[in-house]
Amino acid sequence: MKHEVKKAEGNVSTMMQFVLMGFSDLSNLQGFLFGVFSIIYIIVIIGNSLIIILTSFDPALQKPMYFFLANFSLLEISYVTVTLPRMLVNLWTQDRSISLLECATQMCFFLILGASECFLLAVMAYDRYVAICNPLHYPLVMNQKMCVQLAVGSWIIGIPVQIGQTTQVFSVHFCNCNQINHFFCDIPPIIKLACGDTSIHEMSAYAGTLLIVAVPFMLILASYCKIICTILKLPTASGQAKAFSTCSSHLLVVVLFFGSTTITYLRPKSYHSAGIDKLLSLFYTIVTPLFNPMIYSLRNKDVIASLRKFFLKK
């Protein structure tokens, strides 16, 4: 395997190629890991594609809630595709090299899609807020034009920030080591390869992540505070249970995604370790997209009914 290095001044190098170490320390499990991650990728694609198909063609699911769910499923497919196929190739060929341009491109798309997921979850929370707190105005507020604008906004809002963040990360000078102790190009392991004082770059990355994560999370928190207050005022226990059931799936996905993302990116540097970072990254890049279709399907009567109709027709 060739590791191309272009020498710069002193002991600093401009890396032309990196090596994604991934799970190279588990040399006896390479074939097993390839099989497991291949199955997971297939399940993610099939599960989320099925939700997109159901919400697109079933008249019973032609509602704003399911329009956003279809966008969320498409986002999950894109999110996993940025990292998992590359990891499968590395496991199969054992060639872990990745060029600087490929690494930067992967990181940029990963960050953009991660930001989109944060804001789309906030939009879905707003949809539930309008449905529960202002049910009479819901058809007027969440009309088709508004839904499309919110969805498009979620997809593109993080693009300038994350392009800037990627440019900032790859503007550093790298030392002679070009081994990334991760299974994809992410901010913390790339920063670790930089020479000299990286505090400015770390603070910039921290601020960018905080902005992308904190703003949507505060919007979600505000929406659910209003939702809970409204639900508790409902006169019957059955009404309260029904209202809670429409939010439970989304709330569970929010906790899983924001919890793992916050721990990964916003915990103090002294608590970072390569093993824990990889484990947490696996959780929010692969495990969460794997379970999201199941969470929404098994906890939603409309989706279950649509699934039954779909398979009975087949």
Side-chain angles (χ1 to χ4, degrees), residues 20-23 30 33-34 36-38 40-41 80-96 106 182-184 278 282 285-286:
L20 287 168
M21 299 305 292
F23 302 98
Q30 299 297 292
L33 290 173
F34 177 82
V36 169
F37 289 129
S38 295
I40 289 175
Y41 187 49
V80 174
T81 302
V82 169
T83 57
L84 197 46
R86 180 81 200 198
M87 184 171 69
L88 291 173
V89 170
N90 292 349
L91 287 169
W92 181 257
T93 64
Q94 294 300 299
D95 180 5
R96 307 177 191 281
Q106 184 186 57
H182 215 323
F183 59 89
F184 70 98
K278 278 192 248 186
L282 276 176
T285 60
I286 296 173

Side-chain angles (χ1 to χ4, degrees), residues 3-304:
H3 302 162
E4 299 175 26
V5 180
K6 184 180 178 182
K7 292 293 180 182
E9 295 181 5
N11 64 344
V12 178
S13 305
T14 302
M15 293 295 174
M16 302 303 293
Q17 193 173 46
F18 294 104
V19 180
L20 287 168
M21 299 305 292
F23 302 98
S24 57
D25 52 331
L26 304 173
S27 56
N28 297 327
L29 297 175
Q30 299 297 292
F32 173 75
L33 290 173
F34 177 82
V36 169
F37 289 129
S38 295
I39 292 169
I40 289 175
Y41 187 49
I42 291 168
I43 294 172
V44 169
I45 296 295
I46 293 174
N48 285 286
S49 296
L50 191 57
I51 287 181
I52 294 170
I53 292 168
L54 292 176
T55 53
S56 299
F57 296 105
D58 191 335
L61 301 182
Q62 301 299 305
K63 301 174 184 177
M65 175 182 175
Y66 300 112
F67 170 76
F68 294 127
L69 179 56
N71 273 269
F72 188 69
S73 294
L74 179 59
L75 185 58
E76 292 290 62
I77 291 172
S78 306
Y79 192 59
V80 174
T81 302
V82 169
T83 57
L84 197 46
R86 180 81 200 198
M87 184 171 69
L88 291 173
V89 170
N90 292 349
L91 287 169
W92 181 257
T93 64
Q94 294 300 299
D95 180 5
R96 307 177 191 281
S97 60
I98 182 171
S99 70
L100 185 143
L101 180 59
E102 289 173 332
C103 190
T105 302
Q106 184 186 57
M107 179 190 286
C108 188
F109 276 102
F110 176 77
L111 294 175
I112 288 170
L113 292 169
S116 298
E117 185 153 346
C118 291
F119 283 100
L120 189 57
L121 285 169
V123 166
M124 294 168 80
Y126 175 71
D127 172 68
R128 292 299 83 206
Y129 158 73
V130 178
I132 292 171
C133 300
N134 298 288
L136 297 178
H137 296 102
Y138 183 70
L140 296 174
V141 175
M142 301 305 291
N143 55 60
Q144 186 178 11
K145 183 181 178 182
M146 174 61 77
C147 290
V148 171
Q149 287 175 341
L150 288 172
V152 171
S154 300
W155 280 90
I156 67 172
I157 193 169
I159 291 177
V161 175
Q162 302 299 27
I163 289 176
Q165 195 163 14
T166 303
T167 303
Q168 173 80 4
V169 170
F170 282 91
S171 67
V172 301
H173 290 291
F174 296 104
C175 295
N176 289 326
C177 179
N178 66 343
Q179 295 182 343
I180 302 172
N181 195 1
H182 215 323
F183 59 89
F184 70 98
C185 294
D186 200 7
I187 294 175
I190 295 292
I191 291 289
K192 283 181 182 178
L193 300 182
C195 292
D197 184 12
T198 60
S199 57
I200 295 176
H201 299 284
E202 288 171 5
M203 288 302 297
S204 175
Y206 188 89
T209 304
L210 188 64
L211 175 68
I212 292 297
V213 173
V215 172
F217 184 74
M218 293 306 293
L219 293 172
I220 292 170
L221 196 62
S223 296
Y224 274 104
C225 285
K226 292 281 189 179
I227 288 169
I228 291 170
C229 290
T230 301
I231 289 174
L232 293 176
K233 292 177 183 178
L234 295 175
T236 63
S238 61
Q240 292 178 350
K242 184 178 179 181
F244 271 121
S245 69
T246 64
C247 302
S248 57
S249 299
H250 176 261
L251 196 56
L252 182 57
V253 170
V254 166
V255 171
L256 289 173
F257 180 76
F258 278 95
S260 56
T261 303
T262 301
I263 294 170
T264 301
Y265 290 101
L266 300 181
R267 73 185 193 276
K269 186 181 176 181
S270 57
Y271 289 91
H272 278 269
S273 73
I276 294 175
D277 285 350
K278 278 192 248 186
L279 186 63
L280 288 169
S281 297
L282 276 176
F283 190 81
Y284 68 82
T285 60
I286 296 173
V287 177
T288 305
L290 173 67
F291 284 110
N292 282 348
M294 302 177 195
I295 291 170
Y296 277 107
S297 300
L298 297 177
R299 300 180 65 88
N300 190 295
K301 293 179 181 178
D302 291 339
V303 175
I304 291 173

